Amino acid sequence: MMKKLFTTSIGRLRLLAILEGISLLVLVFIAAPLKHFWDVPGLSKSLGPIHGALFLLFVFNALRVGVEQQWKFKETTWKVLIACFIPFGTFYIDYKILRNIPTDED
């Protein structure tokens, strides 16, 4: 199972979805309150660029996998792309869509 996360394009997209989702949750529910309510901006300053990079990697990989897997944009690709804007969205998409897609090794 873990090998598929690193060796297949769907697996890498799933891994990025999880990492991007975690970074968004930490940024929204921990770093932003620390910054705005308790005037502790350190976590926001360090996590912001990391989340931005993960977000871009997720978007570019979602588009690449969509083309590679020949997803219909109106059926699948837009759902995967919208998920990264919603807290818990990438986890939902991973559970409902990405984990059910057969990989190259299946």
Side-chain angles (χ1 to χ4, degrees):
M1 171 63 184
M2 285 301 289
K3 184 179 178 185
K4 288 182 185 180
L5 289 177
F6 294 102
T7 58
T8 64
S9 59
I10 293 288
R12 285 187 294 270
L13 182 61
R14 290 185 68 198
L15 186 61
L16 279 170
I18 291 165
L19 292 173
E20 195 275 338
I22 290 170
S23 72
L24 177 62
L25 291 176
V26 171
L27 198 59
V28 169
F29 293 114
I30 297 172
L34 281 173
K35 179 180 178 183
H36 294 289
F37 297 125
W38 292 284
D39 199 29
V40 181
L43 187 58
S44 284
K45 284 185 179 182
S46 60
L47 188 59
I50 294 168
H51 169 70
L54 289 169
F55 173 80
L56 289 174
L57 282 170
F58 178 80
V59 168
F60 292 138
N61 274 288
L63 292 171
R64 183 181 60 80
V65 170
V67 169
E68 180 182 290
Q69 296 283 322
Q70 297 176 346
W71 290 345
K72 293 191 173 168
F73 188 84
K74 291 182 178 183
E75 291 178 15
T76 306
T77 308
W78 77 272
K79 293 175 187 175
V80 174
L81 291 174
I82 292 298
C84 62
F85 291 100
I86 302 166
F88 302 104
T90 54
F91 303 116
Y92 179 78
I93 288 297
D94 179 56
Y95 180 76
K96 285 294 191 179
I97 295 176
L98 297 178
R99 78 177 183 139
N100 298 320
I101 297 173
T103 60
D104 303 333
E105 295 179 355
D106 284 344

